[in-house]
Amino acid sequence: MSTTSIKMTRPDDWHIHLRDGEMLSDTANDAASQFARAIIMPNLKPPVTTTEHALAYHQRIMQALPQGSQFQPLMTLYLTNNTSPDEIIKAKQSGLVHAVKLYPAGATTNSDAGVTDLSQVDDVLAAMAEVDMPLLVHGEVTEPEIDIFDREKVFIERHLVPLTQRHSNLKLVLEHITTAQAAEFVSQSSNNVAATITAHHLLLNRNHLLAGGIRPHHYCLPVLKRETHRQALVKAAISGDSSFFLGTDSAPHVIGAKESSCGCAGIYTAKHAIELYASAFEKADALNQLEAFASHFGADFYQLPRNTQQITLQRKPQIIPAELPLGGQTVRPLFAGETLDWSCNS
Ligand SMILES: NC(=O)N[C@@H](CC(=O)O)C(=O)O
Ligand SMILES: [Zn+2]
Ligand SMILES: [Zn+2]
């Protein structure tokens, strides 16, 4: 008989974009409706490059939530060529900044201010290792001659392998992994190296983006890969290896910016995230591994206590709305108009 209800520790999201301004109240409330904590990405315009900016952003997020909300935004700094070791120490001392994000310049949305040469930030990475501040990595090379489907694999070979050798004490999360090579790299690395996996990369391959018409709402970075890679990600997520944990990479862009001659990368999943992961785990016959992946391994890696509250997932169909209002604008969530088998009572 199939499971009808799952009671589990409240999950955390180790990679999310809440944006800012008008949208913030809806994005923050969507995240808080499911997750106890979330690692908040710093790729705002302008990016969150200092502790001072991170604390101000933290305050705006808290103000966007209802009074008494238990949701905890875990802030991050955006690494640039000019980040100083002192800024890392300040960030650590704040108690609110939990990681530093590396965007190779030009790799993704709002990454223009990112790092242009990794060898230039070695002193900052050493300071991070020293104070136990994890580095979160958008792992794609940006060279135009490298095929977009190979950019993650090449980043690992050219940059990550040497970086983890130079800084073996640095905690590192390869974000939103999309390839068998990334899963392999993480599972073979020390316990200092982990990865987040999105629901969409567990559920979709590149045919869902490109076959039978181009589907801009399935476009994200790193771009969806072929089916064998999706299968490798599912295998990693359900493996019980504590190096793999949940990170939605929920990244809203208004409908007009997605359905365009040059559409933006990013998929919005925050409102139905845990149900989407439940479908992926159920398809792999591994619902029993969901709690560890969604609610235990990330907290353990970040050396934070596991949550004590619980949520209940019920086998109760729900239809994902065709559109979601986000601060007066509209986004199309993943699988808009389709039915999910699971509903979350949180
Ligand atoms: N994942 C995406 O496709 N987009 C993210 C940026 C990122 O995480 O790379 C965004 O901020 O829109
Ligand atoms: Zn990214
Ligand atoms: Zn992201």
Side-chain angles (χ1 to χ4, degrees):
M1 211 184 73
S2 63
T3 315
T4 56
S5 142
I6 303 168
K7 200 166 179 187
M8 60 183 266
T9 307
R10 181 179 282 278
D12 301 305
D13 185 349
W14 301 98
H15 181 136
I16 195 169
H17 301 267
L18 297 183
R19 313 300 192 205
D20 206 351
E22 271 206 317
M23 260 193 197
L24 184 57
S25 152
D26 288 312
T27 54
N29 279 287
D30 283 352
S33 71
Q34 301 214 323
F35 297 107
R37 298 170 288 205
I39 285 276
I40 312 300
M41 287 295 132
N43 62 333
L44 304 181
K45 284 187 234 168
V48 181
T49 53
T50 65
T51 307
E52 200 184 329
H53 290 151
L55 299 189
Y57 186 27
H58 179 269
Q59 203 166 18
R60 295 197 295 282
I61 297 169
M62 294 315 290
Q63 279 161 0
L65 291 163
Q67 280 269 317
S69 167
Q70 299 289 304
F71 181 71
Q72 280 181 48
L74 310 174
M75 309 311 292
T76 60
L77 292 191
Y78 184 116
L79 187 64
T80 72
N81 292 343
N82 302 319
T83 307
S84 68
D86 277 354
E87 193 61 53
I88 301 301
I89 293 164
K90 225 187 264 173
K92 183 72 183 184
Q93 284 170 348
S94 75
L96 292 173
V97 177
H98 290 262
V100 174
K101 181 69 191 269
L102 165 67
Y103 291 101
T108 189
T109 307
N110 300 343
S111 62
D112 308 353
V115 173
T116 50
D117 179 359
L118 262 174
S119 65
Q120 305 267 319
V121 292
D122 270 332
D123 57 340
V124 179
L125 300 185
M128 288 170 58
E130 181 84 5
V131 301
D132 210 14
M133 175 75 80
L135 178 71
L136 315 184
V137 181
H138 181 108
E140 288 191 287
V141 293
T142 54
E143 285 82 348
E145 66 274 15
I146 305 292
D147 189 277
I148 188 161
F149 291 102
D150 296 334
R151 288 182 182 187
E152 182 174 275
K153 177 177 87 108
V154 174
F155 185 88
I156 294 168
E157 294 161 1
R158 284 193 191 166
H159 301 295
L160 265 196
V161 170
L163 191 150
T164 50
Q165 282 164 357
R166 284 203 307 279
H167 299 277
S168 57
N169 293 330
L170 178 67
K171 281 193 145 157
L172 184 148
V173 185
L174 184 51
E175 299 288 329
H176 46 43
I177 60 168
T178 62
T179 57
Q181 288 87 355
E184 175 73 11
F185 168 75
V186 171
S187 71
Q188 299 298 311
S189 294
S190 81
N191 289 341
N192 282 338
V193 177
T196 51
I197 307 181
T198 74
H200 45 277
H201 289 104
L202 293 175
L203 290 164
L204 303 173
N205 65 38
R206 65 194 193 181
N207 283 4
H208 294 101
L209 172 67
L210 295 168
I214 187 159
R215 288 165 215 277
H217 297 286
H218 291 166
Y219 176 58
C220 63
L221 288 170
V223 71
L224 295 167
K225 305 296 191 299
R226 65 167 67 239
E227 174 63 9
T228 49
H229 291 296
R230 188 195 69 81
Q231 287 169 4
L233 300 179
V234 170
K235 194 168 155 221
I238 68 171
S239 65
D241 179 340
S242 58
S243 307
F244 299 100
F245 43 82
L246 185 156
T248 62
D249 193 21
S250 181
H253 292 276
V254 298
I255 290 181
K258 297 278 301 167
E259 296 174 8
S260 144
S261 60
C262 184
C264 293
I267 297 181
Y268 194 68
T269 51
K271 202 175 171 69
H272 305 92
I274 196 67
E275 297 94 318
L276 292 164
Y277 281 102
S279 326
F281 275 64
E282 179 161 46
K283 280 192 190 127
D285 202 15
L287 277 173
N288 61 340
Q289 295 292 339
L290 180 63
E291 182 180 38
F293 173 83
S295 315
H296 295 165
F297 294 157
D300 298 350
F301 182 85
Y302 279 87
Q303 292 172 284
L304 293 168
R306 293 179 182 179
N307 297 317
T308 50
Q309 318 98 293
Q310 296 200 303
I311 59 161
T312 306
L313 278 167
Q314 272 175 330
R315 187 181 298 286
K316 193 171 98 192
Q318 60 165 322
I319 298 173
I320 299 186
E323 295 180 349
L324 291 174
L326 289 191
Q329 304 199 296
T330 313
V331 298
R332 185 127 27 243
L334 179 63
F335 300 148
E338 294 180 38
T339 302
L340 278 170
D341 292 342
W342 293 92
S343 297
C344 172
N345 292 347
S346 50

